[in-house]
Amino acid sequence: MAVSKSTNTYNRQNWEDSDFPILCQTCLGDNPYIRMTKEKYGKECKICCRPFTVFRWCPGSRMRFKKTEICQTCSKLKNVCQTCLLDLEYGLPIQVRDAALKIQDDLPRNEVNKEYYIQNLDSQMSKVDPTQPSNSALKSKGASDLLLRLARTAPYYKRNRPHVCSFWVKGECRRGEECPYRHEKPTDPDDPLADQNIKDRYYGVNDPVAEKLMRRAAAMPALPPPEDRTVTTLYIGNLPENITEDELKGHFYQYGEIRCLTLVPRAQCAFVQYTTRSAAEHAAEKTFNRLVIGGKRLTIKWGKSQGRQGANEKNETEPVLEPVPGLPGTLPPPPPAFLHPFPPQMPPPPSRPNDFFNLQHYTGPGWGWAAAAPPGLHYPSQDPARLGAHAHANAPQP
């Protein structure tokens, strides 16, 4: 065991001994029957340089082994995980949390001052609840809008994957599927996320992951209210399966009086209608990208206006087509005589055999087409001989 030549080397009373580590759910893994190895005073803390108890475990299948990096005193001081150094409540870097809560870091950087500060802190922590953070600023500060928008709602087990196999990158790995490392293309070495310092992450300075999250928070979309002032309905999506109407109403009744709440379990959504527009705007502002129920972040949107919704549906059913260039326009409407060629007083046609093409007896005051047809106009289709008819040839001579 390699330790620094300081007062911690000779004063074993300051060395830390613990029975179980302080870990986040992601680092602990999803296996309830996890096994850990415990090494008493195995390494020195990477922040305060005190020897502490090191725990080592595998969070799951096809995952890399993980171990604690800092002591429990430093972990409780910042309320972070001993392995990944992320906040235990929100799963965010320390720099993002401190910027959102406006917490000033007053930890000493000098080795001598740091040892004295840690000794006094240990004596104070022995008198308080060990499950609570020792930093008084974290106790008094409440959750801010930035933390609620960026907080991770579910464990991110992808962070426990093995490292990239360096032999596979060079084309020399012969283990195949038995290799415990990943056979993937490595990331860009110039990427700032590939170069992280554990002390910078702990003190909340120059953290590339925190800067990336801050840029993401600045680019997050907003939820502007619709122009129609009559819209007071909010659409609630991505609901948990076992949520009830009373439970959902308990979350949204705090923003104003609810007129009606419609729950659609099959689509995992609901519609909340408020009595006033101000209450709906207040609910949308407080719950957009912030409300988490049952480990799921709810989707908040404004409802559609009924008038505009009907107009949109009508436009969708009847699309507007552009005219094709080069084609003639529409034909003019027919004359009124063609609209009613058979008036009600039309006499019955005479019963004569084989006189289909003898249309002379169908002309008269009761027939409309004889008067409308222009005189002296002959069409080839009117010739019976062109159609193969022989009624005139076989007709008896008078």
Side-chain angles (χ1 to χ4, degrees):
M1 178 184 63
V3 294
S4 59
K5 293 294 183 179
S6 60
T7 57
N8 291 326
T9 308
Y10 311 103
N11 188 7
R12 289 179 175 266
Q13 294 181 355
N14 294 334
W15 293 11
E16 184 181 271
D17 184 15
S18 56
D19 296 329
F20 197 81
I22 301 177
L23 302 174
C24 62
Q25 189 174 358
T26 301
C27 293
L28 191 59
D30 57 347
N31 185 11
Y33 306 103
I34 191 173
R35 295 185 300 176
M36 288 187 178
T37 59
K38 175 183 175 182
E39 185 180 1
K40 192 174 182 180
Y41 310 136
K43 280 192 175 183
E44 64 178 14
C45 176
K46 295 185 178 180
I47 303 299
C48 64
C49 301
R50 291 191 312 162
F52 72 105
T53 303
V54 178
F55 295 89
R56 190 172 182 269
W57 72 99
C58 182
S61 60
R62 304 295 298 177
M63 300 293 179
R64 73 175 186 270
F65 277 84
K66 309 192 77 172
K67 61 183 178 64
T68 52
E69 304 291 346
I70 62 175
C71 63
Q72 290 195 5
T73 304
C74 296
S75 173
K76 294 178 182 179
L77 185 61
K78 288 284 190 176
N79 193 32
V80 295
C81 174
Q82 284 188 262
T83 301
C84 63
L85 271 68
L86 296 180
D87 186 79
L88 294 174
E89 185 176 357
Y90 303 104
L92 297 174
I94 300 177
Q95 184 175 346
V96 177
R97 184 200 62 189
D98 293 352
L101 299 179
K102 299 179 180 180
I103 299 177
Q104 298 294 334
D105 186 17
D106 55 351
L107 297 180
R109 302 295 193 272
N110 187 275
E111 296 295 335
V112 178
N113 295 338
K114 189 187 302 181
E115 293 177 5
Y116 177 75
Y117 183 82
I118 293 297
Q119 291 179 9
N120 295 337
L121 187 63
D122 283 339
S123 60
Q124 297 176 7
M125 290 173 55
S126 60
K127 304 176 183 179
V128 298
D129 186 7
T131 60
Q132 298 294 331
S134 59
N135 195 341
S136 58
L138 296 177
K139 298 179 183 179
S140 59
K141 297 288 185 178
S144 66
D145 296 341
L146 179 62
L147 294 181
L148 294 177
R149 284 185 294 172
L150 295 178
R152 187 175 294 278
T153 59
Y156 186 64
Y157 296 123
K158 190 177 179 180
R159 199 170 62 222
N160 300 333
R161 295 182 304 168
H163 296 292
V164 178
C165 180
S166 59
F167 289 90
W168 182 84
V169 174
K170 296 182 292 185
E172 299 177 359
C173 183
R174 300 180 181 179
R175 293 186 180 182
E177 297 181 356
E178 297 180 357
C179 182
Y181 299 96
R182 281 188 295 155
H183 288 182
E184 296 180 6
K185 184 178 179 181
T187 57
D188 187 8
D190 298 333
D191 189 2
L193 298 179
D195 186 14
Q196 302 183 28
N197 189 355
I198 188 170
K199 288 190 175 182
D200 291 344
R201 293 175 54 197
Y202 184 82
Y203 292 114
V205 292
N206 301 327
D207 189 355
V209 179
E211 295 176 357
K212 178 182 177 181
L213 291 177
M214 298 294 286
R215 291 194 301 267
R216 181 189 301 175
M220 275 188 174
L223 186 64
E227 299 179 358
D228 190 359
R229 299 291 301 178
T230 61
V231 178
T232 59
T233 305
L234 295 179
Y235 165 81
I236 316 299
N238 196 27
L239 292 175
E241 297 180 358
N242 301 328
I243 193 171
T244 60
E245 185 175 343
D246 296 338
E247 184 179 358
L248 189 62
K249 185 179 294 185
H251 285 278
F252 286 91
Y253 192 78
Q254 57 182 326
Y255 306 111
E257 185 179 357
I258 296 177
R259 177 174 299 172
C260 66
L261 190 147
T262 305
L263 183 62
V264 188
R266 179 179 298 181
Q268 296 184 354
C269 67
F271 297 90
V272 181
Q273 184 179 10
Y274 287 90
T275 56
T276 59
R277 175 59 179 261
S278 59
E281 292 181 356
H282 182 54
E285 180 183 359
K286 293 297 183 180
T287 59
F288 179 68
N289 279 342
R290 302 170 191 172
L291 184 58
V292 179
I293 299 178
K296 302 180 71 174
R297 190 184 301 274
L298 303 189
T299 303
I300 309 297
K301 296 181 181 179
W302 280 96
K304 295 183 179 180
S305 175
Q306 296 295 333
R308 295 188 177 183
Q309 185 176 3
N312 294 338
E313 292 178 357
K314 185 176 180 181
N315 294 336
E316 291 177 0
T317 54
E318 299 180 2
V320 180
L321 302 178
E322 297 182 359
V324 180
L327 294 180
T330 58
L331 296 176
F338 284 95
L339 296 178
H340 301 284
F342 302 99
Q345 300 81 11
M346 179 177 56
S351 57
R352 296 184 182 181
N354 299 330
D355 59 352
F356 180 79
F357 295 100
N358 299 330
L359 304 179
Q360 291 82 7
H361 19 267
Y362 293 99
T363 59
W367 302 89
W369 62 68
L377 193 59
H378 176 75
Y379 291 95
S381 60
Q382 296 178 353
D383 188 2
R386 294 178 59 89
L387 299 178
H390 304 283
H392 296 275
N394 301 330
Q397 296 295 330

